[in-house]
Amino acid sequence: MDEVNVSAIQLNNTLSHNGQSNGIPQPPDSQTASEYIDEQLQQEADAREALPYAFDHCTQPLGSLRQNLYSCLTCRPPPASISEPYTAAAVCYSCSIACHGEHTLVELFNRRNFTCDCGTTRLPSTSPCTLRIDPATGLKGPVHSQPATEGNTYNQNFQNRFCGCGEVYDAHTEKGTMFQCLGLATQVDGGCGEDWWHPECVVGLGRNWARKDKSEHNQENGAATADDEDEDDAKAPPGFPQEEDFETFICYKCVNANPWIRRYAGSAGFLPPVYKGDVHHNVASEDANPALTEKPAGTNGQGKLASLDEVLSSPATSTPDLRDTSIATKKRKAEDTGDDLLSSSTDSKKVKTEPNNTCHYETLEEPASGHLSLFLREDFRDHMCRCPKCYPIISKHRQLLEEEESYEPPLSEDGEEGNRSAGTGSLLDRGEAALSNVDRVRAIEGVMVYNHLKDKVKDFLQPFAESGQAVGADDIKAYFEKLRGDEQGMKSAQTLVGGRGDSDGDNRREQSGY
């Protein structure tokens, strides 16, 4: 057993857990060795609970993944207006801690088909990636100004704006639950790109509906209590389904970009359609609603999916959102390709079909026209038509065919030595990990300095261990103020705590450069 462990055991055995030892009252700001160690272990356990995954490897070498992303507002501050040019970027979980841990981050949660932007031209060179191997040196970090991945897609969330309302998100003031769209189209293609939505914006009531409704309620029944206000903030707006009734949802923007999916509304695996700006339609029962028999915007009235030109020419019963550019964007895309929604070629693909090779999509009810959102039950994928005609369309959106798996970094381990990640171990583990990354000469010098400092600290703690006196914050502060390499400083620091001076002297000196 080495001297450090022996000294720690002696000190721990000498000092009591309650701050008293040998009847000597301890300073109010003192802390025993045992208490300090327990506090550090608890802090490390809390850190592992808050950040359960190891963060010692960037996901960029793994390529495009569905993974948790974070947008760094410190490296890429958003412009004052959403219309101004902006270079969006996002980093993986590991880089958000190791490379941007002191920055202002926006958690975007899981996004599909994304490669980490850390260390690329999308972020300033002053914020390099410290986790990847620099090809020029062969060592880990810093890496910067590498070419950015072209396959990444971005939306307004990367500027900390969310929902169809485009509101800036503030975690301190935001109340209620937001829901992430399944994302059938990117923002460029007219969809939302897996945006997060306020329930009131999905049904078209706007962000002020709760405050307006609460104001009217208070005028009729008097001032509301704090409990009433919390209940009002948590309740769903009229026409919005209960959370336990659906697994995920597709916003009206993504539905407008893919009008063929409209007909699934109200079918097996899907809740009735939820219309934007038509609360009465949403809350009415499906059987009593004559609007369900109207000609929908996504069909041609003959039991078949409409072509894109027919969809674009169909009137909408609800007022369109001025920010919704899905129709114009989709029209431009159709003019460039000249394709109908269901004209995809299947001659070079192996088509997955149903046993009887029939299309049940043609038998689905036609929803009313207007901007509608779809709410999907857990088993909705079992009811998606996979006939030779429908499968090529659905297969473009793999999230409709199978549940997506998201990448998760390895869990941090707090077990045996050597199993901890570089970012989640103790301070000693982190020091050893950092020491292994420097060259041999610097490593030897660092070890020599550490051993010398260890001996100094041991000499300082020895009088406390012998007298049973707890080490206070002032004692430590005074000691390090005196610790300048001279014996007089050491003796003065020991005198402050009533310790004995070392009359024999100490021939060891500070290493050069310390």
Side-chain angles (χ1 to χ4, degrees), residues 176-395:
T177 303
M178 299 181 70
F179 298 89
Q180 187 179 26
C181 175
L182 193 59
L184 295 191
T186 66
Q187 185 169 308
V188 175
D189 293 330
C192 73
E194 297 185 274
D195 203 345
W196 290 82
W197 291 76
H198 304 110
E200 57 269 27
C201 295
V202 173
V203 299
L205 289 175
R207 291 291 283 150
N208 294 324
W209 83 272
R211 287 187 287 268
K212 181 179 179 181
D213 181 67
K214 185 186 302 182
S215 177
E216 295 176 353
H217 176 79
N218 292 344
Q219 291 178 357
E220 295 178 0
N221 303 291
T225 63
D227 294 337
D228 293 336
E229 292 180 358
D230 293 339
E231 183 178 352
D232 290 339
D233 290 329
K235 72 177 183 180
F240 192 88
Q242 296 297 319
E243 292 185 38
E244 60 271 14
D245 293 338
F246 65 94
E247 177 74 13
T248 185
F249 96 107
I250 303 174
C251 73
Y252 60 83
K253 288 188 176 183
C254 289
V255 171
N256 286 342
N258 298 273
W260 57 269
I261 202 172
R262 294 172 57 91
R263 199 186 293 186
Y264 281 99
S267 65
F270 294 77
L271 298 183
V274 174
Y275 290 87
K276 176 178 179 287
D278 194 347
V279 177
H280 298 292
H281 193 163
N282 292 333
V283 298
S285 64
E286 184 176 1
D287 295 335
N289 193 347
L292 291 178
T293 61
E294 297 178 4
K295 177 182 177 182
T299 65
N300 59 11
Q302 299 177 351
K304 298 181 180 180
L305 285 176
S307 66
L308 185 60
D309 291 336
E310 290 175 323
V311 172
L312 295 175
S313 62
S314 298
T317 57
S318 60
T319 303
D321 188 350
L322 295 178
R323 289 181 293 271
D324 190 350
T325 60
S326 59
I327 295 180
T329 305
K330 197 66 179 180
K331 183 176 181 180
R332 288 194 300 270
K333 184 177 180 181
E335 291 172 347
D336 293 338
T337 61
D339 292 336
D340 187 79
L341 275 174
L342 287 179
S343 62
S344 301
S345 173
T346 61
D347 55 356
S348 62
K349 295 183 179 180
K350 181 179 179 181
V351 179
K352 180 180 178 181
T353 63
E354 295 182 341
N356 58 5
N357 217 28
T358 59
C359 178
H360 78 262
Y361 176 84
E362 303 288 354
T363 65
L364 300 179
E365 295 286 341
E366 297 179 356
S369 60
H371 293 310
L372 65 86
S373 298
L374 297 177
F375 287 80
L376 292 59
R377 300 184 188 274
E378 187 176 0
D379 63 344
F380 78 93
R381 295 181 179 89
D382 299 334
H383 304 285
M384 300 294 296
C385 182
R386 290 176 170 84
C387 74
K389 186 178 181 181
C390 296
Y391 186 80
I393 302 300
I394 300 177
S395 62

Side-chain angles (χ1 to χ4, degrees), residues 65-67 69 108-114 153 155 157-158 162 179-187 191-197 249 251 254 399 404 406:
L65 300 170
R66 178 172 176 81
Q67 59 180 314
L69 295 179
L108 306 177
F109 296 91
N110 283 319
R111 299 297 169 100
R112 67 176 64 94
N113 303 330
F114 201 94
T153 59
N155 63 3
N157 297 167
F158 294 77
F162 294 84
F179 298 89
Q180 187 179 26
C181 175
L182 193 59
L184 295 191
T186 66
Q187 185 169 308
C192 73
E194 297 185 274
D195 203 345
W196 290 82
W197 291 76
F249 96 107
C251 73
C254 289
Q399 63 269 36
E404 299 176 284
S406 299

Side-chain angles (χ1 to χ4, degrees), residues 75 91 95 98-100 103 117-120 123-132 134 141-146:
C75 294
V91 299
C95 290
C99 310
H100 303 264
H103 296 178
D117 284 324
C118 192
T120 70
L123 291 169
S125 59
T126 54
S127 296
C129 181
T130 61
L131 300 180
R132 295 208 301 273
D134 188 345
V143 176
H144 63 85
S145 304
Q146 290 188 338

Side-chain angles (χ1 to χ4, degrees), residues 416-427:
E416 299 178 359
E417 182 180 357
N419 289 337
R420 296 182 183 181
S421 66
T424 55
S426 65
L427 293 177

